[in-house]
């Protein structure tokens, strides 16, 4: 009997692990099994010391179209064209708690940098999943759509947190309320993503960026992510205190000694902390 096609493809090139969402016929929309495979793949990358950068991309013409809306577990329950009472409807909050929250937190706690290589449309939770990665690089033909309002939901997968922080409240409101397609070029101009590149250059650009990050001090990069996110909820002095605490910790780590030694030896440092 043939095995079912994996919904997440895993490939490693040197220290860079690439995870490819693999449901191209449905624009790589999330099913519970794709969630499980993706979380397992991220956990495996986090636990593998040979991995120093993770890239997430999509197979085919899309990056990810958010939740698979054909999933009977989340479809509104109807009988003879009438909606059943709320008590008999599926609880989408359970899906968020079981799948999207663990996924968003896993990305946010990865011990190495995570790049989203957005090869095509990123809609709903697919868009916000990409925005929650450390760096988001998109092909010029790609787009970002806060599709939630069109099905009478709110942005999820971290969207309420990321959108106003990345582009400001007005643009976040416009994107979320109208649900219009935002092209990659405009997304980069607004600061929603790191970079927009020609479609033909996406693979090479992301490979070069990932290789560069993989050679950098992973622990310091990850503490930078945590410090930025923590500072969002801090006063100025508290953020300064936190910076001191982190420098104290990192200053005792091997990568700092290596960085300084390599600087004076005029050689390229070899960072190993994670
Ligand atoms: O229960 C919950 O909803 C919980 C909440 C979860 C968070 C969310 O993510 S909510 C938002 C869910 N996503 C969407 O609402 C996006 C739906 N998709 C679209 O609006 C469009 O597909 C796109 C704008 C993304 C792309 O449009 P286009 O014209 O390039 O492609 P298409 O023809 O619409 O889609 C291609 C195929 O993918 C098509 O299948 P077919 O007709 O060829 O057999 C389409 O049905 C399928 N597809 C696209 N998105 C989804 C999907 N199938 C299932 N679920 C999808 N989200």
């Amino acid at each position: 009997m043939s095995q079912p096609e994996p919904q997440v493809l895993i490939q490693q090139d040197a220290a860079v692990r690439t995870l490819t969402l693999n449901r191209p016929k449905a624009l790589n929309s999330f099913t519970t099994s794709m969630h499980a495979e993706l979380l397992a793949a991220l956990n495996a990358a986090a636990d593998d010391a040979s991995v120093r950068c993770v890239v997430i991309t999509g197979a085919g013409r899309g990056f990810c179209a958010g939740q698979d809306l054909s999933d009977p577990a989340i479809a509104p329950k109807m009988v003879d064209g009438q909606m059943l009472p709320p008590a008999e409807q599926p609880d989408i909050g359970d899906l968020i708690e079981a799948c999207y929250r663990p996924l968003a937190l896993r990305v946010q706690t990865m011990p190495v940098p995570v790049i989203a290589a957005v090869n095509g449309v990123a809609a709903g939770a697919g868009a916000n999943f990409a925005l929650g990665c450390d760096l988001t690089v998109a092909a010029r033909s790609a787009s970002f759509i806060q599709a939630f309002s069109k099905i009478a939901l709110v942005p999820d997968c971290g969207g309420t947190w990321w959108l106003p922080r990345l582009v400001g409240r007005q643009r976040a409101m416009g994107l979320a309320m109208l649900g219009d397609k935002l092209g990659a070029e405009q997304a980069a101009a607004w600061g929603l993503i790191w970079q927009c590149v020609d479609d033909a250059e996406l693979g090479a650009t992301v490979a070069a960026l990932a290789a560069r990050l993989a050679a950098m001090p992973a622990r310091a990069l990850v503490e930078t992510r945590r410090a930025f996110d923590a500072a969002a909820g801090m006063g100025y002095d508290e953020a300064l205190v936190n910076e001191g605490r982190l420098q104290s910790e990192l200053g005792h780590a091997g990568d700092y000694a290596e960085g300084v030694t390599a600087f004076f030896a005029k050689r390229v440092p070899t960072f190993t902390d994670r």
Side-chain angles (χ1 to χ4, degrees), residues 25-27 29 61 65-69 74 92 95 121 123-125 145 147-148 151 153 156:
K25 286 185 187 147
L27 300 179
S29 51
R61 72 175 177 91
Q67 173 62 30
D68 186 320
L69 297 173
I74 51 112
I92 302 175
L95 175 73
V121 65
I145 308 176
F148 308 91
I151 53 168
L153 295 176
D156 62 20

Side-chain angles (χ1 to χ4, degrees), residues 16-38:
V16 178
R17 181 146 317 167
T18 300
L19 311 181
T20 304
L21 309 179
N22 188 37
R23 302 187 64 241
K25 286 185 187 147
L27 300 179
N28 306 314
S29 51
F30 284 113
T31 57
T32 43
S33 42
M34 193 170 92
H35 266 292
E37 284 186 36
L38 184 55

Side-chain angles (χ1 to χ4, degrees), residues 69-244:
L69 297 173
S70 69
D71 185 344
I74 51 112
K77 298 269 179 293
M78 316 278 287
V79 170
D80 298 333
Q82 298 289 315
M83 264 192 83
L84 292 177
E88 293 178 48
Q89 295 298 334
D91 189 336
I92 302 175
D94 290 345
L95 175 73
I96 302 296
E97 197 57 25
C99 295
Y100 287 100
R101 183 163 160 252
L103 176 64
L105 287 177
R106 177 66 277 190
V107 170
Q108 192 64 359
T109 56
M110 285 297 284
V112 294
V114 182
I115 302 172
V118 181
N119 52 301
V121 65
N128 295 335
F129 172 58
L131 301 181
C133 294
D134 294 316
L135 292 175
T136 305
V137 181
R140 203 169 298 283
S141 68
S143 56
F144 296 81
I145 308 176
Q146 295 295 317
F148 308 91
S149 59
K150 293 181 177 161
I151 53 168
L153 295 176
V154 297
D156 62 20
C157 201
T160 58
W161 205 86
W162 288 117
L163 281 173
R165 280 175 169 80
L166 290 169
V167 296
R169 189 172 186 277
Q170 275 292 308
R171 283 172 170 170
M173 290 300 279
L175 289 173
M177 284 187 159
L178 301 171
D180 287 341
K181 188 181 275 196
L182 186 74
E185 217 162 324
Q186 190 71 44
W190 281 10
L192 188 74
I193 62 171
W194 171 245
Q195 196 180 3
C196 162
V197 296
D198 287 340
D199 288 23
E201 284 169 21
L202 182 68
T205 303
V206 169
L209 184 62
R212 207 175 138 196
L213 287 171
M216 295 186 72
R219 187 171 164 198
L221 301 188
V222 166
E223 291 297 357
T224 302
R225 173 209 293 151
R226 289 181 57 208
F228 279 176
D229 295 341
M234 289 177 181
Y236 187 49
D237 192 29
E238 201 185 342
L240 292 173
V241 170
N242 191 45
E243 290 170 8

